[in-house]
């Protein structure tokens, strides 16, 4: 009888503990999350705010847009002016090489969605990366992922760091304007700019990593790209807050991947689309594969950014990077269980 009583009490206590764990309040409910620009890759963050998925999780999320590029958004995180950043996964590797602990907790993009294109009037002369020699190539900002990817592609083509004039032109529309004005000869860019340039016949791509095949062609494999990354100290201090951020993003991604393209276009925040609905539908049809179904980082895929960065930066090559510390899937796996 006593044994039965102890069992009942034990079950009751366990049940109360589980209820308490599930009902615990976020350590920090009001949050600032940075993005480096309004490229389509980062769109789920602001879409989640618009759809109310963060609010459903008890969070008040404000998006800080650093239009100058991902490196500025990263600096904001390191400097402590924001709580998290939606930026490229490779920043977690770069920061580890500098002795800083940054970890990806949710992957937005399984593939990069990035293109490198040359002005159409130069397309007959510039057909490979080697043909970029002596030309001006636009990136978003020094130290950004577009900078890293561009320089890797240049090196892979057999060119030296001084063979191509790499110029920061900002992200999105400013890059397109610079290409149209012939201030640059080539550009690294994403949708919606990719579709706009194609429709205007302004640029011809040398590679198009909006597909798995394009990613493999440009980088030798599937390249995990945009993710929500946080300082490890924030993750350790605020696990319930992080869990709720991830829950909200997984809800948003499941919604993105479940609705018709037309419905998604209508819901996307204004900064991530044009004023032309037909063009927006074309953009989403070209790039909808960007958005991860699961939010999970594949350990093998994570080796591709490391290889690209190591080839580009000897300091990273010598840093003995531990990839297991650049991401964690535990919050996403738990979210998948909670949201069944």
């Amino acid at each position: 009888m006593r044994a039965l009583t102890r069992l009942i009490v034990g079950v009751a206590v366990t049940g109360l503990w589980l209820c308490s764990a599930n009902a615990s309040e976020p350590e920090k409910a009001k949050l600032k999350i940075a993005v480096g620009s309004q490229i389509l890759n980062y769109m789920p963050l602001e879409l989640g705010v618009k759809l109310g998925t963060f609010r459903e999780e008890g969070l008040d999320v404000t998006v800080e847009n650093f239009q100058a590029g991902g490196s500025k958004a990263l600096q904001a995180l390191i400097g402590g002016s924001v709580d998290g950043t939606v930026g490229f996964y490779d920043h977690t590797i770069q920061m580890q090489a500098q002795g800083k602990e940054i970890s990806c907790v949710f992957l937005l993009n399984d593939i990069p969605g990035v293109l490198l294109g040359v002005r159409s009037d130069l397309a007959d002369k510039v057909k490979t990366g080697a043909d970029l020699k002596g030309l001006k190539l636009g990136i978003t900002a020094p130290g950004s992922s577009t900078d890293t990817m561009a320089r890797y592609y240049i090196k892979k083509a057999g060119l030296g760091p001084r063979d191509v004039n790499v110029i920061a032109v900002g992200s999105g529309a400013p890059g397109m304007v610079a290409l149209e004005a012939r201030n640059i000869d080539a550009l690294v860019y994403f949708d919606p700019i990719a579709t706009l340039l194609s429709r205007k016949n302004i640029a011809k791509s040398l590679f198009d990593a909006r597909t798995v095949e394009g990613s493999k062609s440009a980088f030798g494999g599937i390249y995990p790209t945009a993710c929500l990354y946080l300082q490890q100290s924030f993750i350790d201090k605020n696990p319930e807050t992080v869990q709720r951020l991830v829950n909200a993003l997984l809800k948003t991604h499941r919604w993105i991947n479940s609705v018709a393209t037309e419905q998604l276009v209508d819901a996307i925040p204004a900064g991530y689309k044009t004023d032309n609905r037909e063009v927006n539908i074309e953009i989403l049809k070209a790039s909808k594969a960007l958005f991860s179904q699961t939010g999970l980082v594949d350990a093998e895929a994570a080796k591709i950014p490391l290889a690209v960065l190591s080839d580009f930066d000897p300091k990273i090559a010598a840093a003995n990077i531990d990839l297991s510390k650049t991401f964690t899937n535990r919050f996403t796996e738990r979210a998948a269980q909670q949201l069944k």
Side-chain angles (χ1 to χ4, degrees):
M1 185 68 180
R2 288 180 181 177
L4 179 60
T5 301
R6 284 197 299 269
L7 177 62
I8 292 171
V9 171
V11 170
V13 170
T14 301
L16 287 170
W17 182 87
L18 287 172
C19 289
S20 175
N22 289 336
S24 60
E25 292 298 315
E27 300 85 357
K28 186 172 185 180
K30 194 174 180 66
L31 300 155
K32 288 184 180 179
I33 308 294
V35 293
S37 63
Q38 287 182 305
I39 61 173
L40 195 61
N41 300 57
Y42 302 156
M43 179 273 295
L45 175 65
E46 289 196 55
L47 178 62
V49 173
K50 183 178 177 181
L51 293 176
T53 59
F54 294 103
R55 190 168 57 252
E56 288 172 4
E57 293 294 325
L59 302 177
D60 179 4
V61 171
T62 300
V63 179
E64 297 270 339
N65 183 3
F66 292 80
Q67 192 64 31
S71 56
K72 297 296 182 183
L74 172 62
Q75 288 170 20
L77 179 67
I78 299 299
S81 63
V82 298
D83 302 295
T85 295
V86 167
F88 277 26
Y89 164 70
D90 51 15
H91 290 155
T92 66
I93 298 171
Q94 291 169 321
M95 288 299 98
Q96 188 180 129
Q98 296 179 28
K100 295 179 174 65
E101 294 185 341
I102 306 293
S103 183
C104 161
V105 296
F106 186 92
L107 184 67
L108 279 70
N109 309 147
D110 293 319
I111 52 178
V114 65
L115 298 84
L116 191 153
V118 63
R119 285 200 331 254
S120 293
D121 61 297
L122 298 174
D124 289 340
K125 299 178 182 178
V126 184
K127 297 182 178 180
T128 69
D131 298 327
L132 291 169
K133 186 173 183 178
L135 299 184
K136 298 175 184 176
L137 173 61
I139 58 160
T140 58
S144 67
S145 296
T146 57
D147 188 11
T148 301
M149 290 175 171
R151 294 183 188 277
Y152 173 78
Y153 184 71
I154 290 166
K155 184 176 180 181
K156 184 181 172 185
L159 301 179
R162 297 184 180 179
D163 287 333
V164 180
N165 187 8
V166 178
I167 301 172
V169 295
S171 180
M176 182 170 69
V177 170
L179 196 68
E180 284 186 281
R182 300 192 178 187
N183 293 328
I184 54 175
D185 305 303
L187 180 68
V188 183
Y189 53 100
F190 302 84
D191 260 327
I193 299 303
T195 299
L196 294 175
L197 288 173
S198 176
R199 286 176 68 92
K200 291 183 176 182
N201 195 30
I202 294 170
K204 182 176 180 181
S205 62
L206 297 183
F207 71 74
D208 182 348
R210 291 178 293 181
T211 65
V212 170
E213 294 74 19
S215 180
K216 289 179 178 178
S217 173
F219 306 111
I222 298 172
Y223 197 123
T225 317
C227 70
L228 172 63
Y229 58 74
L230 309 163
Q231 297 209 52
Q232 187 60 48
S233 57
F234 183 93
I235 296 171
D236 294 339
K237 186 178 179 181
N238 304 283
E240 181 63 25
T241 299
V242 175
Q243 186 62 61
R244 292 178 182 228
L245 282 169
V246 170
N247 289 355
L249 283 171
L250 183 57
K251 286 180 186 178
T252 304
H253 274 246
R254 286 182 173 179
W255 188 86
I256 288 171
N257 286 296
S258 68
V259 299
T261 301
E262 293 77 7
Q263 186 177 352
L264 178 56
V265 163
D266 292 339
I268 289 175
Y272 295 89
K273 59 185 177 183
T274 73
D275 294 330
N276 186 317
R277 190 168 185 268
E278 289 185 11
V279 172
N280 295 328
I281 291 171
E282 184 178 339
I283 290 168
L284 261 297
K285 285 182 176 178
S287 288
K288 196 173 180 181
L290 277 177
F291 305 114
S292 175
Q293 301 263 355
T294 66
L296 297 168
V297 178
D298 180 85
E300 287 301 310
K303 294 177 182 178
I304 298 299
L306 176 59
V308 170
L309 291 165
S310 297
D311 189 71
F312 163 71
D313 188 340
K315 292 180 181 178
I316 293 176
N320 194 26
I321 297 294
D322 182 352
L323 283 178
S324 69
K325 294 181 179 179
T326 64
F327 70 91
T328 176
N329 284 324
R330 67 187 177 98
F331 295 102
T332 309
E333 288 169 348
R334 185 180 179 199
Q337 290 295 319
Q338 290 180 345
L339 302 176
K340 275 185 176 179

